[in-house]
Amino acid sequence: MFEIGQQSTLPTQLAPSSRTLYIVLAILFGPLGFHDFYIGKFGLGALKIIALLLMLVAEPLFFAALFVALYLLGLIQAFTVRHDSKGTPLA
């Protein structure tokens, strides 16, 4: 509990995102966009999930092709993305 006049020791900034965790998420869950959510690119992550769900419902063959394409994109992102959505370098 805080007492009156006591300074808060909570950090004012969040710690930078881990590059290692980003790479692991991209390799394991690349098509689902979990690595995009991790670095704050919520729109891109949501777009990947929505596209996969739409293709799964519409045409399973296109779903498989999109899944492979998004997995390859995730692998490329894993080793090329160096900053999060706010421009902070991944640690």
Side-chain angles (χ1 to χ4, degrees):
M1 294 305 256
F2 291 109
E3 294 181 21
I4 296 176
Q6 181 181 3
Q7 292 289 333
S8 173
T9 58
L10 296 174
T12 56
Q13 290 185 357
L14 294 174
S17 301
S18 165
R19 180 155 172 72
T20 304
L21 182 56
Y22 178 78
I23 291 171
V24 169
L25 287 173
I27 290 171
L28 295 178
F29 306 108
L32 299 175
F34 290 173
H35 58 290
D36 295 318
F37 287 109
Y38 178 67
I39 63 170
K41 295 183 179 180
F42 300 107
L44 183 58
L47 181 65
K48 288 179 181 180
I49 291 175
I50 290 169
L52 281 174
L53 289 175
L54 288 175
M55 283 298 125
L56 182 60
V57 171
E59 182 62 45
L61 183 62
F62 290 140
F63 169 80
L66 181 63
F67 189 87
V68 170
L70 288 176
Y71 187 77
L72 293 174
L73 177 63
L75 288 177
I76 292 169
Q77 287 178 321
F79 299 104
T80 58
V81 172
R82 304 275 185 224
H83 298 86
D84 66 8
S85 64
K86 297 177 184 171
T88 306
L90 297 176

